[in-house]
Amino acid sequence: TQLLEQSPQFLSIQEGENLTVYCNSSSVFSSLQWYRQEPGEGPVLLVTVVTGGEVKKLKRLTFQFGDARKDSSLHITAAQPGDTGLYLCAGTGANSKLTFGKGITLSVRP
Amino acid sequence: NAGVMQNPRHLVRRRGQEARLRCSPMKGHSHVYWYRQLPEEGLKFMVYLQKENIIDESGMPKERFSAEFPKEGPSILRIQQVVRGDSAAYFCASSPSTGSLQETQYFGPGTRLLVL
């Protein structure tokens, strides 16, 4: 069974701070996706990473896929209250089904 | 380009009733996935369908649950004789048929099922 561990589980920071959160697995995934989910809504795709070592930037968000395609990190620069939400990573396995981590709950205080 | 649509957004059923959840994929997408999110847990894969075919149903409970994606119309997730443990958020996702983004799944807003 493929498992994804996300850490930390909860994070509360002040506006303007930088942060890095992690998504780790003992399994190799063909691709990995990061989503953000607001309460009462579905996950919204942020990025898909495919190549080991790949780095993708989305404004103040930087995503990195590990060289061995087992782990990923998300770095947010100068966090803003609008970044508050649940961040989910998901790895693509056999038959394209996604294995999700439990998520990281981020709170950015004004 | 409309996103993935799900209805109803909220559904209340009494124990023993049937629940039908509908999902219309994004335009041009022919792959549909259903996931369930229980309180305090991550999303869990249930079933993967293409038009008129079930590709992978390894995450579906053995009894009471079924899914279909007919040639015309939305995908349906059907739960018969619901029990309180079925209360959860059910999400549908779709992906393109081909191309480099084939593995990227786009999610609908979900259906929140409450069983009384």
Side-chain angles (χ1 to χ4, degrees):
Chain A
T1 303
Q2 294 178 311
L3 292 174
L4 277 171
E5 299 286 340
Q6 291 191 250
S7 60
Q9 190 175 356
F10 299 97
L11 187 57
S12 180
I13 61 171
Q14 201 72 33
E15 180 177 2
E17 292 183 7
N18 301 331
L19 66 115
T20 303
V21 294
Y22 302 92
C23 174
N24 296 305
S25 175
S26 57
S27 304
V28 175
F29 293 99
S30 58
S31 68
L32 193 140
Q33 290 148 56
W34 283 91
Y35 294 85
R36 193 173 92 183
Q37 186 178 20
E38 304 282 349
E41 298 295 330
V44 175
L45 180 70
L46 296 174
V47 77
T48 299
V49 286
V50 179
T51 306
E54 183 177 5
V55 176
K56 280 192 173 179
K57 292 195 173 185
L58 184 67
K59 297 183 180 178
R60 294 176 293 100
L61 278 60
T62 302
F63 303 86
Q64 184 161 9
F65 200 13
D67 291 341
R69 306 209 320 272
K70 292 181 180 181
D71 50 76
S72 180
S73 64
L74 161 59
H75 180 80
I76 301 179
T77 303
Q80 298 177 2
D83 296 327
T84 293
L86 177 67
Y87 289 81
L88 298 164
C89 69
T92 305
N95 274 335
S96 300
K97 60 187 179 187
L98 295 179
T99 298
F100 278 87
K102 289 190 176 183
I104 295 163
T105 300
L106 173 64
S107 174
V108 182
R109 303 185 302 275
Chain B
N1 184 20
V4 178
M5 300 179 70
Q6 290 188 248
N7 66 82
R9 292 290 304 271
H10 300 273
L11 183 61
V12 180
R13 285 287 178 266
R14 296 191 181 280
R15 282 179 295 170
Q17 292 184 320
E18 178 179 287
R20 281 183 179 243
L21 287 62
R22 287 175 290 278
C23 169
S24 296
M26 286 178 71
K27 187 177 180 181
H29 289 193
S30 60
H31 297 208
V32 166
Y33 311 81
W34 286 92
Y35 294 83
R36 177 165 64 177
Q37 188 174 39
L38 293 166
E40 308 304 324
E41 292 190 20
L43 285 92
K44 303 291 185 186
F45 168 81
M46 298 182 75
V47 63
Y48 165 31
L49 309 106
Q50 295 179 19
K51 285 284 188 182
E52 300 183 281
N53 286 305
I54 296 175
I55 307 302
D56 183 343
E57 56 181 349
S58 58
M60 289 278 270
K62 300 297 181 193
E63 298 177 345
R64 303 185 297 108
F65 284 72
S66 62
E68 63 176 6
F69 189 16
K71 188 176 180 181
E72 301 290 338
S75 176
I76 306 287
L77 178 67
R78 181 183 177 205
I79 311 173
Q80 295 177 288
Q81 299 174 333
V82 296
V83 301
R84 287 203 174 129
D86 296 332
S87 296
Y90 292 83
F91 292 97
C92 168
S94 71
S95 67
S97 305
T98 59
S100 60
L101 295 179
Q102 186 176 355
E103 295 186 334
T104 297
Q105 297 179 23
Y106 298 85
F107 282 78
T111 294
R112 272 106 189 128
L113 172 66
L114 175 63
V115 180
L116 300 177

